[in-house]
Structures are given as structure tokens and as C-alpha cells.
Amino acid sequence: MNGLSILGTGRSLPDHIVTNDDLARRVETSNDWIVSRTGIRERRFAQGETLTQLAVAAARRAMERAGVGPQDIGLCLMATVTPDWITPSQACLLHQELGLPEDCPAFDLSAGCTGFLYAMETAAAMLPRMARPCALLVGGELLSRITDMDDRSTCILFGDGAGAAVVKSTEGAPWHALLGTRGNREALWAAGPGNHPAYLHMNGQEVFQFALKTVPELARSLLDKAGMDRDQIDWYVLHQANHRILEGVAKRMKVPMERFYENIGRYGNTSAATIPIALDEMAEQELLRPGQWIMCLGFGAGLTWGGAMFRW
Ligand code: UT7
């Protein structure tokens, strides 16, 4: 059976850095509270950049690193809940900007913070039937668009950014993935359009508990599916939502934190973008070496969750 190989990654973040002290000037909070409860020190908010610009920049980097051109892309998927336009989709805007071929279908996936994992597994299923060998996957959000900057329970958490990967369907490449959904509109939601302002609302405690229970179970199920042990995984790349969630998952799984990549301190929670941004940083820092086992795990609005295990 075919699995996915990642040929190249890219990322793009807005220039404007917003520190915890900046937010504390607007809402009643403090740097100490935010750092101790979330691990976040700063995030990026777009000031003028569109999601299309960030997505295109991340995609171009990924294609360059993969050594592929538009003619190699047979599927273009964009995971986002904050597209620039309602229609055409964000993926179509990307398709136009990049000059992708007409036999390359392009569409958006809305699965909250699990979006990139949904995109990976969709590509794994669809790519063998596509006309060209590679898929372009982008996870990107301008969450600042739907964040109430006067709500201290959410505005401290979220950030903007985009990450991308070029993947190829490869005969014999190891690939194990699981996706799940439990329909729930009370834990994490943004209503609209037609319900302006369509701000993000969250029952933080509920999402926190959901993540701590679901993610270790998901990891266990993936390992069982692959017939592998947790110690055989070189890197756990989790959705970056809260440092305490990363710590809690590591503890429950009895895996040292050193094997969990973490960058939440710099970007906050960029939803569907956190995992591809993390992979790109890890590749750039040469933390990822050929043959290593990677497990990516995501969770978020839906409620949705998803995991993928593959070799670098
Ligand atoms: O991407 C997936 C989606 N999101 C997540 O995964 C987020 C999951 N949840 C979390 O990360 C945490 O629940 C939060 C970081 C959102 C909140 O941390 P918490 O430890 O669960 O705090 P809490 O909601 O239980 O609130 C504790 C207190 C409350 O005050 P009282 O009622 O104890 O007086 C809040 O009003 O902290 C207060 N509080 C704040 N204080 C200072 C809430 N937000 C803030 C704030 N600054 N920004």
C-alpha cells in the first residue's frame, strides 16, 4: 500500500510580534499568568498580510525545498477556518497564485486545529488516483480575524501563520493515520457568517480535559495499529495549544518531554498551521533525519482529532 513521504516543508509568519505585555495593556491579564498557564510569550498578528500571501509564501518554500514545480502538483488542500474569501476557497486562491495545473483539484478542509492531519490523510487516500505525483498541503490561519481582543480567555492564546508541505504518494512508505470526530458545538466554536461578530468562543477547561484524554489514547491506538512501541518514535509533533497540554500528554504517555517539539512560546496557537510550522522549523534545524519515525497528533474544534505516523 502507498504511504506519504514529505518532500519539503515551508512556513510564513506575519512580521508583527505581539507580546504578553502588549495584551496586558488591553485586557486584565499579565505576562506571568499567560506564561505559567499556557507557555505562550508572544504571537504574530497579521497587519496587512492576507492569508493568501502567507499561504503562498509557505507553499513556495515547501515546493522549492521539495524541488518540485506547479506541473508536479496533482492535489492542493488548504486546512483553514479563516479563509480570505468565502468562495472561491482558499485553496483555489492558492491554485491561481501558484499557477497550478487544471487537473489539480483544490479545496479547503475545515477541521479546526486538526485540519492539517485531515489534509494529510485525505492526500494519502486521494493522491494515488490523481494525475500528478505530489500534493501541496497548507495549514494556515489568521485567527486574529475571529478573536475578540477584549476577551482575555481567548485573545492570549491565538496567533496567525501558515505552514506547508509537499507530499508524495510512495509505494511501501510506512503510513499509519487515524482521524476522529465527536460533533460538539459547545466546547469551541465561532458562529457565522450571519452571526457577526463571528468570534471564537471556548470552554477552555473542557477542551483541555478533552485533549489530555484523547491525545494519549490516539497515540496508543496508532502505535497498536503499527505494531510499534512509544520508544520507537523519534519525535512527537503535537498541535501547539498549551505547554501544559504537551507536558500532560508526555507524562501520561511516559515519554520524555525532549521528544516533544515545542514552539508555542513564540507563536501561540495558530490552529491548523501549528504542525506544518513545527515540521518546517524542525527540518530547518536539522532535528529531522532520514529514517526517523515521526508521530503528529492534533485535536481541536469539532471536536476533531487526528494522528499520523510516518518516516522522515
Ligand atoms: O487548539 C485547541 C483549542 N484550545 C485549547 O486547547 C485550549 C485548552 N485550554 C486551555 O489551554 C486552558 O483552559 C486556558 C489556558 C484557556 C485557561 O487556563 P485554565 O488554567 O484552564 O484557567 P481557567 O479557565 O480555569 O481560569 C482560571 C482563572 C479564572 O478566574 P477565577 O474564576 O478563578 O477567578 C479566569 O477568569 O483565570 C482567569 N483567567 C485569566 N486571568 C488572567 C482566564 N483568562 C485569564 C487571563 N489572565 N488571560
Side-chain angles (χ1 to χ4, degrees), residues 28-29 33 37-38 113 152-153 156-157 188 202 204-205 207-208 239 241-242 244-245 269 299:
E28 203 181 323
T29 189
W33 193 96
R37 298 289 180 118
T38 69
C113 304
R152 70 176 183 173
S153 69
I156 55 139
L157 287 175
L188 179 52
M202 184 175 64
Q205 283 285 341
V207 179
F208 195 91
H239 166 51
N242 187 321
R244 290 189 297 139
I245 293 178
N269 178 346
F299 56 91

Side-chain angles (χ1 to χ4, degrees), residues 110-115 118 178-184 188 207 210-211 214-215 218 239 298-307:
S110 169
C113 304
T114 320
Y118 271 62
L178 286 171
L179 302 177
T181 301
R182 187 187 312 138
N184 169 324
L188 179 52
V207 179
F210 153 73
T214 307
V215 176
L218 174 63
H239 166 51
F299 56 91
L303 296 164
T304 55
W305 57 92

Side-chain angles (χ1 to χ4, degrees), residues 12-62:
S12 177
L13 281 306
D15 293 331
H16 182 57
I17 296 175
V18 177
T19 65
N20 292 342
D21 287 334
D22 292 333
L23 293 177
R25 280 190 276 279
R26 178 151 179 174
V27 292
E28 203 181 323
T29 189
S30 66
N31 179 54
D32 284 353
W33 193 96
I34 301 171
V35 172
S36 65
R37 298 289 180 118
T38 69
I40 300 167
R41 293 179 181 277
E42 59 188 42
R43 72 286 294 140
R44 307 290 179 98
F45 285 162
Q47 280 198 330
E49 297 104 333
T50 62
L51 184 57
T52 305
Q53 285 168 338
L54 296 184
V56 166
R60 287 213 166 106
R61 285 283 287 267

Side-chain angles (χ1 to χ4, degrees), residues 20-300:
N20 292 342
D21 287 334
D22 292 333
L23 293 177
R25 280 190 276 279
R26 178 151 179 174
V27 292
E28 203 181 323
T29 189
S30 66
N31 179 54
D32 284 353
W33 193 96
I34 301 171
V35 172
S36 65
R37 298 289 180 118
T38 69
I40 300 167
R41 293 179 181 277
E42 59 188 42
R43 72 286 294 140
R44 307 290 179 98
F45 285 162
Q47 280 198 330
E49 297 104 333
T50 62
L51 184 57
T52 305
Q53 285 168 338
L54 296 184
V56 166
R60 287 213 166 106
R61 285 283 287 267
M63 288 168 67
E64 201 179 288
R65 290 215 173 105
V68 304
Q71 72 283 356
D72 300 306
I73 307 293
L75 182 64
C76 172
L77 302 179
M78 176 90 201
T80 187
V81 297
T82 51
D84 283 342
W85 290 17
I86 291 172
T87 195
S89 68
Q90 188 63 57
C92 287
L93 302 182
L94 197 56
H95 190 286
Q96 182 178 24
E97 293 293 321
L98 296 172
L100 298 182
E102 288 190 0
D103 56 10
C104 166
F107 58 93
D108 289 359
L109 279 161
S110 169
C113 304
T114 320
F116 197 75
L117 274 311
Y118 271 62
M120 284 176 115
E121 179 63 339
T122 303
M126 285 184 70
L127 251 187
R129 300 170 64 89
M130 296 293 105
R132 295 164 196 270
C134 299
L136 172 64
L137 313 180
V138 183
E141 305 285 4
L142 295 195
L143 288 178
S144 60
R145 276 182 172 156
I146 57 166
T147 301
D148 179 356
M149 294 300 168
D150 293 317
D151 175 5
R152 70 176 183 173
S153 69
T154 53
C155 74
I156 55 139
L157 287 175
F158 300 113
D160 300 340
V166 172
V167 298
K168 190 173 181 185
S169 181
T170 309
E171 173 100 34
W175 177 258
H176 306 279
L178 286 171
L179 302 177
T181 301
R182 187 187 312 138
N184 169 324
R185 72 188 80 174
E186 292 85 30
L188 179 52
W189 77 98
N195 289 290
H196 291 292
Y199 287 142
L200 266 175
H201 301 276
M202 184 175 64
N203 181 335
Q205 283 285 341
E206 187 181 344
V207 179
F208 195 91
Q209 295 308 330
F210 153 73
L212 281 191
K213 183 168 183 313
T214 307
V215 176
E217 285 174 5
L218 174 63
R220 178 80 268 152
S221 303
L222 269 174
L223 289 168
D224 287 349
K225 200 173 176 205
M228 285 175 59
D229 186 78
R230 62 181 177 227
D231 297 330
Q232 290 174 271
I233 303 298
D234 296 286
W235 284 106
Y236 291 88
V237 184
L238 262 66
H239 166 51
Q240 307 282 307
N242 187 321
H243 168 73
R244 290 189 297 139
I245 293 178
L246 297 178
E247 246 180 11
V249 169
K251 199 169 156 202
R252 278 171 170 73
M253 289 180 63
K254 299 190 171 60
V255 170
M257 262 303 268
E258 296 78 68
R259 272 194 275 150
F260 282 67
Y261 187 74
E262 182 169 357
N263 63 9
I264 189 159
R266 285 178 282 128
Y267 305 134
N269 178 346
T270 56
S271 190
T274 65
I275 288 176
I277 289 175
L279 288 173
D280 188 51
E281 287 193 342
M282 294 171 79
E284 197 171 79
Q285 293 165 32
E286 297 182 2
L287 295 175
L288 300 175
R289 280 180 243 111
Q292 282 186 331
W293 275 100
I294 318 291
M295 185 189 282
C296 295
L297 297 162
F299 56 91

